[in-house]
Amino acid sequence: MDGTETRQRRAEELGLRYALSIGKLPRVSEDGPLSVPESQRVSPKLLGTELSRETALSIGLQVIVPFIFAGLGLSGAGILLNYFQHWPVFMEVKDLLTLVPPLVGLKGNLEMTLASRLSTAANTGQIDDPREQHRVISSNLALVQVQATVVGFLAAMAALLLGALSRGELDFEKVELLCASSVITAFLAAFALGMLMVCIVIGARKLGVNPDNIATPIAASLGDLITLSILAFFSSFFYKHKDSRYLTPLVCIGLMALTPVWVLIAKKNPPIMKILKFGWFPIILAMMISSFGGLILNKTISKEQYKGMAIFTPIICGVGGNLVAIQTSRISTYLHMWSTPGVLPLWMKKFWPNPCSAFCTSEINSMSARVLLFLVIPGHLIFLYVIYLVEGHSVPNSKTFVVFYLLAGLIQVTILLYLAEVMARLTWHQALDPDNHCIPYLTGLGDLLGTGLLALCFLISWLLSEAELDGILELASGPP
């Protein structure tokens, strides 16, 4: 299929793909060929025109408010984590800190993926019909609950395994507490954020705002706060009642027992059922990647030279994840509008585009990448200012650290935005939906990159301050 054919494909083709995506087969017309009811037809020209009308200014105005709001939520999450790390349960069960990035990262694996799917459905007209809206939403929420329960359990297993490998021993007494805390945190956070995403996407659609620009940042703004609070509350509760032998196993078994109920609800939507059967690899691999970031956090958080690591980790990881999720969601919507799965538009045929073309052309995805990249430095400066106002005594106050921190944030987001372009093309060429297969990998990688670069910032800043101090002492001890 050449570029002209891709751009000018018939509305019936889009309608057919829409009908299949919501689980309905199109009717056979009297003339023979497949047809789609008028109420379900989608006009690619209209949708494409709406997308092409977006400018850098309009994208920036729609993104900046939820982005700042999300960043303030991430700052609050960092302050909370800095407070929670001194609780007895976090001091006693060190592997809980390893759980933080993968559990917080579930908003990238699950909620941001959900938001991206719903945003794409909204932008392509799939949830305009009330009956189909209810079916699409209920099946998506059920899918998220199944994924959250399973991935929450696997995240606990990964944290235990990484902790055992790093310490050389496995503490069996903490296994039940860690598993119960992880599963109930993932379950409740997924439910709360899933409902929030549904409200945001439907509200944005009614207000004429592109959900791709606002849904994922708002998910992140409350996601980290909700997840950390639930994890701290329930882990502390289980720790206080650790003598109650059957409490934690009953919690795990009870939540796992609900899984068949969610599967039955998800069966109402065949494409969602397909994700439930074959979509596990991206979210499990992303969880494993985030767990390595958690191991870095676990090993550095209590050391003096990394003072403030707990505060900045949710911020740098969250900002990178938010921005790359926005870009991936936009690219996915763009591909759904202008092409069919397995066929890339002519102007996107290269799997590994030149980095300049990903950031420096007039094409809509390149323009949105520039807008998101330009938000990194101002955003981090605002969040740094908030942190210094609230927790100035708990973080480094040197200009050297600030410079390296901003540079780390810029490097992280640049890498992620480029990889979003590459991965979206590769997955689409394989007839896979970028909403489901790219965002988990990218947010997991964002957690690992963010935690690693942040630890490097603290180390470099500490080494430079030590070298400066040694120079001052040498001068002071020199001859008069």
Side-chain angles (χ1 to χ4, degrees):
M1 181 183 293
D2 62 22
T4 304
E5 290 173 331
T6 301
R7 291 191 297 271
Q8 296 179 348
R9 72 188 186 284
R10 294 171 302 143
E12 286 83 354
E13 293 173 352
L14 267 178
L16 174 58
R17 180 162 51 82
Y18 158 64
L20 293 174
S21 72
I22 60 175
K24 277 193 174 182
L25 290 175
R27 296 181 284 104
V28 179
S29 67
E30 295 178 356
D31 298 329
L34 293 172
S35 64
V36 180
E38 285 292 337
S39 61
Q40 295 180 2
R41 291 190 180 184
V42 183
S43 170
K45 291 184 178 180
L46 177 60
L47 294 170
T49 303
E50 290 177 358
L51 190 66
S52 64
R53 279 205 301 263
E54 286 190 309
T55 63
L57 180 60
S58 66
I59 295 171
L61 290 176
Q62 288 187 28
V63 170
I64 192 166
V65 174
F67 172 70
I68 297 299
F69 185 59
L72 294 176
L74 295 169
S75 302
I79 295 169
L80 276 182
L81 182 57
N82 189 52
Y83 172 67
F84 290 148
Q85 68 170 317
H86 302 296
W87 281 22
V89 65
F90 283 89
M91 300 289 288
E92 181 72 19
V93 187
K94 290 291 186 182
D95 291 333
L96 273 175
L97 290 171
T98 307
L99 265 182
V100 170
L103 280 183
V104 168
L106 278 179
K107 73 176 186 296
N109 297 344
L110 304 182
E111 277 72 37
M112 285 186 180
T113 305
L114 169 67
S116 186
R117 282 198 304 268
L118 293 178
S119 296
T120 299
N123 283 327
T124 53
Q126 294 180 26
I127 61 174
D128 289 344
D129 179 70
R131 287 182 302 173
E132 298 305 332
Q133 181 186 99
H134 178 267
R135 196 161 65 91
V136 168
I137 289 172
S138 62
S139 58
N140 271 279
L141 290 177
L143 169 68
V144 169
Q145 292 308 119
V146 176
Q147 292 175 326
T149 304
V150 174
V151 175
F153 178 76
L154 293 177
M157 294 295 100
L160 285 166
L161 180 61
L162 290 173
L165 291 175
S166 62
R167 292 190 303 268
E169 61 177 359
L170 179 62
D171 190 352
F172 287 98
E173 293 182 1
K174 307 297 189 302
V175 172
E176 291 180 356
L177 185 148
L178 204 65
C179 288
S181 300
S182 181
V183 171
I184 197 169
T185 298
F187 182 89
L188 294 178
F191 180 78
L193 292 171
M195 294 299 295
L196 178 65
M197 284 301 92
V198 169
C199 295
I200 290 170
V201 170
I202 293 176
R205 178 70 173 169
K206 290 182 177 179
L207 294 173
V209 177
N210 188 348
D212 284 328
N213 294 333
I214 65 171
T216 50
I218 294 178
S221 66
L222 296 177
D224 290 9
L225 287 170
I226 292 172
T227 304
L228 282 174
S229 300
I230 294 173
L231 177 63
F233 175 79
F234 280 101
S235 61
S236 182
F237 176 79
F238 294 143
Y239 182 73
K240 290 176 182 176
H241 296 83
K242 57 185 176 183
D243 294 332
S244 180
R245 184 176 178 181
Y246 300 105
L247 177 61
T248 50
L250 282 174
V251 169
C252 288
I253 294 171
L255 293 176
M256 291 287 187
L258 289 174
T259 301
V261 178
W262 307 126
V263 172
L264 288 174
I265 298 174
K267 276 187 175 180
K268 297 178 181 178
N269 195 333
I272 294 300
M273 201 60 198
K274 183 179 179 181
I275 297 171
L276 189 57
K277 290 180 180 178
F278 306 109
W280 290 101
F281 186 75
I283 61 175
I284 291 175
L285 182 58
M287 178 272 296
M288 291 298 301
I289 295 171
S290 294
S291 295
F292 283 101
L295 187 61
I296 295 173
L297 176 64
N298 192 0
K299 294 299 180 183
T300 57
I301 197 169
S302 59
K303 296 181 180 179
E304 183 62 28
Q305 59 264 44
Y306 298 98
K307 182 182 179 182
M309 186 81 180
I311 296 178
F312 287 110
T313 297
I315 300 174
I316 193 168
C317 294
V319 167
N322 293 348
L323 295 179
V324 75
I326 293 172
Q327 181 68 357
T328 308
S329 183
R330 291 181 59 87
I331 296 173
S332 178
T333 298
Y334 182 86
L335 288 170
H336 276 90
M337 288 181 175
W338 289 104
S339 187
T340 54
V343 181
L344 283 167
L346 184 63
W347 55 94
M348 296 179 70
K349 286 295 184 183
K350 287 185 179 179
F351 293 147
W352 296 89
N354 188 313
C356 290
S357 68
F359 293 98
C360 303
T361 68
S362 58
E363 194 263 330
I364 183 69
N365 292 324
S366 177
M367 181 173 64
S368 63
R370 287 196 302 273
V371 171
L372 298 175
L373 196 60
F374 289 153
L375 290 175
V376 175
I377 299 298
H380 273 302
L381 286 174
I382 293 172
F383 310 145
L384 278 170
Y385 180 71
V386 172
I387 291 297
Y388 280 117
L389 281 180
V390 180
E391 289 284 340
H393 61 281
S394 302
V395 295
N397 57 2
S398 67
K399 294 180 181 177
T400 304
F401 172 78
V402 172
V403 170
F404 279 105
Y405 175 79
L406 294 175
L407 182 61
L410 195 61
I411 292 172
Q412 175 208 30
V413 173
T414 302
I415 293 173
L416 291 176
L417 290 177
Y418 177 71
L419 289 179
E421 184 73 30
V422 172
M423 291 185 67
R425 297 183 185 204
L426 289 172
T427 53
W428 190 260
H429 180 70
Q430 297 297 321
L432 299 173
D433 191 345
D435 285 334
N436 300 320
H437 293 83
C438 292
I439 292 179
Y441 291 130
L442 292 167
T443 53
L445 185 60
D447 289 344
L448 182 58
L449 275 175
T451 311
L453 290 171
L454 180 61
L456 192 60
C457 289
F458 275 101
L459 182 60
I460 293 173
S461 180
W462 179 76
L463 289 174
L464 291 177
S465 63
E466 288 293 306
E468 185 179 348
L469 182 60
D470 289 342
I472 294 172
L473 290 175
E474 286 180 9
L475 289 174
S477 61

